[in-house]
């Protein structure tokens, strides 16, 4: 049950009028720095502040009536929690999100603000997957995985579809990669339109599981990476997503935390965009010259903008 | 020589392909908070980070050949400096910007970065208007005023023209007002399309010169207001701009510095937009319920996003 270009197109129809059609922005300063025409797809301006809403909604809207009544469960300390919570709220589906008790208050509040029940667990004592599984069994609820799911991937792919509608002549697309949902969706969407487009993934230096997997041709698992990019701290790519990446990607590059900080700062100063560390990965790769794009047109995705004010202030001024 | 709707339309043609057509964003959270459908025109995403580029370019592009050769002079410690510098660079016109010696390094650097010559003066000793006038006389150069000029106003009006193209059913438009260039342009553009649209200006509580002037029906001059909104620290509206405001505006409301901070924080958290204090005035007025817009469609302009990282971090976390 592979993800197809038609799945992405169907997801786009389902999301029409529900997700924001986020803007594709240009910056002459960015173009000059990179030596290319850069088209910036701003998924930080998506509902709930990240692309995650696309996949979550595309997954939930395809549940049947009895599944909807039984509700959904997800575990996440990040954007997936809010994506599922918002999608569930819009569809009238009860949602329970399993979150660590030490998650930032802003994330707990935001998830509850979308009407979801939050089930807290202790990081040191409990296994969140086990908790979520038990909740699903007790209630007959559906577990919504963060990325390793065909409908989540197809939903995420709609961001790239929109990018290519606005910038049809890009020769390369650069995307942050954690579990591979956004990147996998980008591969399917882009190559459904033009198989010559080069797809690049970007992950943090400290967590190069996707790069290693891509080089070896099989999924590699690493320890939890220490990086400011909290949304990209995956230990291995997904099964569904890696199969896509292996087939379609041109390559995977890494960026350092300092390079992420510099990109966040560039987005602040030159583009007036709030970008979270993970969301800045593709921009960081271009600014640091990690991918040869000189003289071409290139699309990048800013994947999210959810970062606490104190943390943002710290990272922004750290790069001074 | 009044500013007409045709002047705004002509300015739009001149700016086509030169200025960014900035996005008009929506936020469900904002709509819920305000109780209205709010359309947010993001001039913080304009080239050089503020609407000022529109007016400056529309002014400079209409200089004749000999005027262009003789160059332009402006005085500003803020966005007007960068707007003139960038417009001059694009048109190959020599520009000199008179700036205070204690201006933030980032603004001096940005102005020089656009190729302008910076003439420094001491705030305590020199009169910047006199210095600028002398430079103009010595060189035969043209002084470019920040707002009190028909072509500057017409250029600024193009932001409202674009807003109304994206959101044709708005019944009210809310705009930050300092000298009145943006607001005056909004009046001409909006009433050229539909005279029933209500035009509201917003200025800082501490600097209510435009509100006082509007109430009295004549220009009032106040002392330099103490406010974080450094772009709105004018002491009186302009002659050209006040004549327009007097004729077209529905009213002028004020917001406190705390309300500006809260609006900056809302833009950060909920819209992922970097907004400078002055730029947040219209958003602040809506969030603070200063204008009765419930149940309607309303357009607002975010006028700029140029703020130093340290200052931004301070204002963002102050509102905690």
């Amino acid at each position: 049950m592979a993800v197809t270009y038609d799945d992405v197109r169907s997801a786009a129809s389902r999301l029409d009028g529900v997700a924001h059609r986020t803007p594709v922005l240009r910056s002459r300063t960015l173009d000059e720095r990179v030596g290319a025409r850069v088209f910036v797809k701003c998924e930080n301006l998506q509902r709930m502040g990240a692309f995650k809403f696309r996949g979550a909604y595309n997954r939930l809207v395809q549940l049947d009536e009895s599944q909807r009544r039984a509700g959904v469960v997800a575990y996440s300390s990040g954007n997936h929690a809010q994506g599922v919570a918002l999608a569930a709220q819009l569809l009238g589906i009860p949602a329970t999100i399993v979150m660590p008790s030490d998650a930032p208050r802003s994330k707990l509040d935001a998830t509850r603000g979308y009407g979801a029940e939050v089930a807290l667990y202790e990081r040191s004592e409990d296994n969140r997957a086990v908790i979520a599984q038990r909740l699903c069994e007790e209630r007959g609820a559906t577990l919504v995985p963060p990325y390793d799911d065909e409908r989540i991937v197809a939903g995420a792919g709609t961001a790239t579809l929109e990018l290519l509608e606005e910038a049809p002549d890009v020769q390369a697309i650069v995307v942050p990669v954690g579990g591979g949902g956004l990147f996998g969706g980008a591969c399917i969407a882009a190559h459904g339109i033009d198989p010559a487009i080069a797809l690049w993934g970007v992950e943090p230096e400290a967590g190069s599981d996707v790069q290693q997997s891509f080089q070896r041709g099989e999924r590699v698992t690493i320890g939890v990476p220490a990086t400011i990019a909290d949304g990209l701290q995956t230990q291995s790519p997904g099964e569904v997503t890696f199969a896509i990446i292996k087939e379609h990607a041109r390559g995977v590059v890494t960026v350092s935390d300092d390079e992420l900080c510099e990109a966040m700062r560039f987005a602040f100063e030159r583009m007036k965009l709030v970008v979270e560390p993970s969301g800045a990965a593709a921009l960081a790769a271009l600014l640091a010259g990690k991918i040869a794009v000189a003289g071409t047109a290139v699309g990048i995705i800013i994947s999210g903008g959810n970062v606490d004010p104190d943390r943002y202030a710290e990272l922004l001024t750290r790069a001074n």
Side-chain angles (χ1 to χ4, degrees), chain A residues 3-13 15 41 43 46 51-56 58 147 149-165 173 175 180-193 199 241 244 301:
Chain A
V3 186
T4 67
Y5 178 64
D6 280 348
D7 294 335
V8 182
R9 292 224 65 95
S10 301
S13 304
L15 288 167
K41 177 69 171 169
E43 283 296 294
Q46 186 50 264
F51 77 96
K52 288 282 185 181
F53 173 68
R54 295 179 183 265
N58 189 51
Y147 48 83
D149 176 287
E150 289 80 359
R151 290 168 182 179
I152 301 276
V153 171
T158 59
T160 297
L161 213 56
E162 292 173 8
L163 170 58
L164 283 168
E165 282 166 9
I173 294 177
V175 178
L182 185 66
F183 191 36
C187 287
I188 300 297
H191 282 177
I193 293 170
L199 274 304
T241 56
I244 297 170
I301 299 181

Side-chain angles (χ1 to χ4, degrees), chain A residues 77 99-104 120-128 233:
Chain A
S77 54
M99 300 180 79
S101 57
D102 63 354
L120 295 176
Y121 72 95
E122 298 299 322
R123 276 188 210 263
S124 53
E125 296 168 22
D126 306 322
N127 181 316
R128 62 183 190 170
Q233 285 177 307

Side-chain angles (χ1 to χ4, degrees), chain A residues 24-87:
Chain A
V24 174
L25 299 181
R26 305 290 311 276
S27 157
R28 318 268 165 148
T29 313
L30 179 58
D31 287 4
E32 280 164 26
R33 276 280 300 270
V34 174
R37 286 182 300 129
V38 185
F39 297 83
V40 184
K41 177 69 171 169
C42 293
E43 283 296 294
N44 56 329
L45 306 181
Q46 186 50 264
R47 294 183 76 171
M48 52 68 51
F51 77 96
K52 288 282 185 181
F53 173 68
R54 295 179 183 265
Y57 187 87
N58 189 51
R59 180 76 180 78
L60 267 57
V61 76
Q62 294 184 71
L63 294 175
D64 65 29
E65 268 314 307
S66 70
Q67 288 173 322
R68 289 189 184 205
R69 272 195 303 277
V72 294
V73 173
Y75 50 88
S76 166
S77 54
N79 291 330
H80 180 55
Q82 292 174 61
V84 171
L86 174 57

Side-chain angles (χ1 to χ4, degrees), chain A residues 221-309:
Chain A
T221 300
I222 61 170
V224 177
T227 168
I228 59 169
D230 51 306
L232 304 178
Q233 285 177 307
T234 46
Q235 296 176 256
S236 71
E239 276 188 64
V240 171
T241 56
F242 184 64
I244 297 170
I245 292 168
K246 191 175 160 182
E247 183 184 343
H248 291 275
R250 181 69 56 93
V252 180
V253 300
T254 64
V255 289
S256 69
D257 280 3
D258 279 352
E259 286 162 348
L260 288 173
C261 267
E262 277 174 41
M264 288 175 69
R265 169 98 175 224
F266 183 92
F268 167 85
E269 283 190 328
R270 294 306 193 144
M271 306 190 71
K272 312 306 172 189
L273 294 174
V274 178
V275 181
E276 64 183 272
S278 304
L283 179 61
L286 285 199
L287 288 172
K290 299 289 173 89
I291 302 168
V293 294
T296 71
V298 55
I300 68 174
I301 299 181
I302 302 281
S303 57
N306 289 326
V307 51
D308 280 335

